[in-house]
Amino acid sequence: VKWITLSLLAVATLTGIIAFTAPASGHADEGGAPVFVTNIPSGYRDWRLVSVAHEAGNLNDIRAILGNDPAINAYRGGKLPFPDGAIIARIAWNYVASEENNKVFGRAQSFVAGPPPEWYLQFMVKDSKKYAATGGWGFAQFDRDGKPADETKLKSCFPCHVPVKARDFVFTRYTP
Amino acid sequence: VKWITLSLLAVATLTGIIAFTAPASGHADEGGAPVFVTNIPSGYRDWRLVSVAHEAGNLNDIRAILGNDPAINAYRGGKLPFPDGAIIARIAWNYVASEENNKVFGRAQSFVAGPPPEWYLQFMVKDSKKYAATGGWGFAQFDRDGKPADETKLKSCFPCHVPVKARDFVFTRYTP
């Protein structure tokens, strides 16, 4: 029994190690699958603001785009490409009318950030070597429970960003 | 000539001192005029995000609400009233359709932050003694050139905030 337990432990540990290191070691240039970001970058909610936007249509969200220090510094300095280590976060909230605000304004004009939509969080993580196959950016998307999107979904990120290659594949402009 | 120069200097200096100290010393409870904030709080663009909103109608802006550390800590801790020293900033940008984004999405759905509107910046500064007459909040508004709003305009701020007295006169809720 003891031997079986130890073996199972060893297998479990090894599996854990493989699972943990796979995203870091699976370089795109090794002929493997594209590499994506599977952990939520820590502290992102404290990052500084890049800008805000509203996506109507099916998304129907209002969103904030935040950047970590390397990202904000690159934005403010107007320097492209973004340096390795730069991370851009996109937080989306359901786009909801504020009855409370409208009552004060005396007309229906106010829309605010409501509960998180299914695809609550997105990130672009710059690592020019690791993510060489996708413009140096690793893409990530997490649902409101923190679960990462699957590979099929993440593969659809980069092609959409190609039209803004001249801005290092980043849509959002910094607004002072 | 020397005497005149010195007198003018003295008057100018005295005027400067009065102008400089007036906002700080003019407590509302001294029976004077309401006290407003006339300087843009430094570093506000680096503050953390409270939430985002879109005001349609005449304002037609998209906006970010930021808070300094005491404000963000109070928001996150769910503690009201906000402590003295808390400052909440509202930055507005013209609400503009993004042709660039719409082209990628294949439909007209994307609205982004454009140039600053006339009344670009607003602040609420908490000082329960200094601003006792207006719920403990000093109100400030600056145009895109950094010029503060006049007293008549600022007097219209507080009455609008009274309906949200239960949230310490602050409209915007923190969105995680």
Side-chain angles (χ1 to χ4, degrees):
Chain A
V1 169
K2 200 181 173 190
W3 180 87
I4 293 172
T5 308
L6 279 173
S7 297
L8 284 173
L9 249 177
V11 169
T13 307
L14 200 64
T15 310
I17 289 168
I18 291 166
F20 186 77
T21 56
S25 63
H27 291 123
D29 57 0
E30 286 170 9
V35 174
F36 299 113
V37 180
T38 51
N39 293 310
I40 296 177
S42 72
Y44 73 89
R45 189 59 184 77
D46 289 335
W47 294 350
R48 288 178 283 177
L49 182 76
V50 176
S51 195
V52 294
H54 163 52
E55 296 300 334
N58 291 338
L59 290 172
N60 199 31
D61 69 43
I62 188 162
R63 43 181 60 198
I65 293 85
L66 309 180
N68 68 356
D69 288 346
I72 293 288
N73 293 341
Y75 263 124
R76 290 185 179 171
K79 285 204 173 174
L80 291 181
F82 286 87
D84 280 7
I87 310 179
I88 297 165
R90 189 283 279 143
I91 312 176
W93 298 276
N94 286 332
Y95 182 70
V96 298
S98 171
E99 297 308 329
E100 184 175 55
N101 295 1
N102 290 341
K103 227 163 92 178
V104 174
F105 280 121
R107 52 191 159 185
Q109 73 164 52
S110 191
F111 299 88
V112 298
E118 185 185 357
W119 293 108
Y120 176 40
L121 295 174
Q122 286 182 332
F123 297 91
M124 288 176 71
V125 178
K126 192 69 183 268
D127 185 327
S128 52
K129 285 199 190 73
K130 188 170 167 185
Y131 305 119
T134 48
W137 290 103
F139 292 88
Q141 188 164 12
F142 301 91
D143 72 11
R144 59 187 154 228
D145 299 318
K147 201 186 139 212
D150 64 24
E151 203 168 295
T152 310
K153 197 169 179 69
L154 290 175
K155 272 183 182 166
S156 72
C157 294
F158 181 63
C160 248
H161 285 255
V162 170
V164 285
K165 185 180 176 181
R167 291 213 306 282
D168 198 21
F169 305 98
V170 175
F171 280 100
T172 306
R173 298 166 194 268
Y174 181 90
T175 41
Chain B
V1 169
K2 202 182 173 189
W3 180 87
I4 292 171
T5 307
L6 280 174
S7 299
L8 285 174
L9 249 177
V11 169
T13 306
L14 200 63
T15 310
I17 289 167
I18 291 167
F20 186 76
T21 57
S25 61
H27 291 123
D29 58 358
E30 287 170 7
V35 174
F36 299 111
V37 181
T38 50
N39 294 312
I40 296 177
S42 72
Y44 73 88
R45 189 60 184 78
D46 289 335
W47 294 349
R48 287 178 283 177
L49 182 76
V50 176
S51 195
V52 294
H54 163 52
E55 297 299 334
N58 290 340
L59 290 171
N60 199 31
D61 68 44
I62 188 161
R63 43 180 62 197
I65 293 85
L66 310 180
N68 68 356
D69 288 347
I72 292 288
N73 293 341
Y75 262 123
R76 291 186 179 171
K79 286 205 174 175
L80 292 180
F82 287 87
D84 281 5
I87 310 179
I88 297 165
R90 189 283 279 144
I91 313 176
W93 298 275
N94 287 332
Y95 182 70
V96 298
S98 170
E99 297 308 330
E100 183 175 55
N101 295 1
N102 290 341
K103 228 163 92 180
V104 174
F105 280 120
R107 52 191 159 186
Q109 71 164 52
S110 191
F111 298 89
V112 298
E118 185 185 357
W119 293 109
Y120 176 41
L121 295 173
Q122 286 181 333
F123 297 91
M124 289 175 69
V125 178
K126 192 68 183 269
D127 184 328
S128 51
K129 287 201 188 72
K130 188 170 167 183
Y131 306 119
T134 48
W137 290 104
F139 291 88
Q141 189 164 11
F142 300 91
D143 71 11
R144 58 186 156 230
D145 299 319
K147 201 186 140 212
D150 63 25
E151 203 168 294
T152 310
K153 196 169 180 68
L154 290 176
K155 272 183 184 167
S156 72
C157 294
F158 180 63
C160 249
H161 286 255
V162 170
V164 285
K165 185 180 177 181
R167 291 213 307 282
D168 198 22
F169 305 98
V170 174
F171 280 100
T172 305
R173 298 167 195 267
Y174 181 90
T175 43

